Amino acid sequence: MVAFIKGIVVSVGESSAVIDCNDIGYEIFASSRCLGGLTVGSEVKIHTLLAVREDNITLYGFRDTSEKEMFSRLITVSGIGPKLAIVILSGIDAQSLIGCIASQNAQALAGIKGIGKKTAERILLELKGKIKTEVASGTAEISLAADSDDDAVLALMALGYSSSEAVKALSVVENKDNMSVEEKVMAALRG
């Protein structure tokens, strides 16, 4: 219903920001990653999702559409509400979360404050089919290369790299066209 808000940042708190849009102050709850990029007095465009509950109407904000899409996916998982989804997105960016789901890395998710092992496993189980389909069809906004580096990137992400760190580590590997996935990973780790 409210796809985005464009306006001036009035205040930034720990869990929300107030954006002045045509003399109306919208309180938008967002991840710490989103809030960290806001400065009071600057003009911003924040992608939003309006959540209507029986006793509450809340506006959630996101840096980009991939973060918004991941939030929408997370709240479909049983036991994950909007507040916990925001906590998850504060602990891990959307692209890295896609990588964790694709590689089934429960340990990385369990490391996020407020997420236990069982919750991490439930997220992986319930989102596995949805995320893999998106990555395979190329509709997810993830910076995985469309060539043989995909498996090496996923392997590095399983070792704790973010997707952007993994892609960057692989970009400096020389003569990788003739290497196996294992050789690429080892070379990236050494580099």
Side-chain angles (χ1 to χ4, degrees):
M1 183 170 170
V2 180
F4 66 87
I5 300 284
K6 186 175 181 180
I8 305 295
V9 179
V10 175
S11 66
V12 180
E14 279 187 37
S15 60
S16 67
V18 175
I19 309 297
D20 179 347
C21 179
N22 295 325
D23 295 327
I24 297 174
Y26 292 93
E27 182 176 21
I28 301 172
F29 292 86
S31 70
S32 58
R33 293 175 186 280
C34 179
L35 294 172
L38 301 179
T39 8
V40 174
S42 64
E43 184 175 7
V44 294
K45 177 180 176 182
I46 297 181
H47 299 273
T48 58
L49 187 133
L50 183 64
V52 179
R53 304 245 184 242
E54 187 175 304
D55 60 342
N56 193 3
I57 297 175
T58 307
L59 197 58
Y60 293 97
F62 313 96
R63 291 189 301 186
D64 51 40
T65 55
S66 64
E67 187 178 49
K68 181 178 178 178
E69 180 62 28
M70 186 51 67
F71 176 85
S72 297
R73 296 282 184 209
L74 282 169
I75 60 176
T76 66
V77 175
S78 61
I80 306 288
K83 288 182 181 178
L84 188 53
I86 288 292
V87 169
I88 293 168
L89 291 172
S90 291
I92 188 169
D93 66 83
Q95 291 183 352
S96 297
L97 183 54
I98 290 171
C100 287
I101 293 166
S103 65
Q104 294 294 287
N105 187 352
Q107 187 176 6
L109 289 179
I112 298 171
K113 184 179 179 180
I115 303 297
K117 182 180 177 184
K118 288 185 180 183
T119 304
E121 290 171 351
R122 188 177 340 110
I123 292 169
L124 296 178
L125 178 68
E126 292 188 31
L127 294 182
K128 181 180 179 181
K130 296 175 185 175
I131 299 301
K132 277 195 174 182
T133 302
E134 290 177 8
V135 173
S137 68
T139 58
E141 292 185 27
I142 184 168
S143 61
L144 293 178
D147 58 14
S148 64
D149 288 351
D150 289 358
D151 291 333
V153 169
L154 289 174
L156 287 169
M157 289 171 64
L159 294 171
Y161 282 64
S162 71
S163 62
S164 58
E165 290 170 335
V167 170
K168 185 177 178 181
L170 279 172
S171 69
V172 297
V173 174
E174 295 179 357
N175 300 323
K176 63 183 174 185
D177 295 336
N178 300 325
M179 293 182 177
S180 68
V181 173
E182 293 80 14
E183 291 171 330
K184 288 179 186 180
V185 170
M186 292 302 292
L189 290 172
R190 279 186 242 119

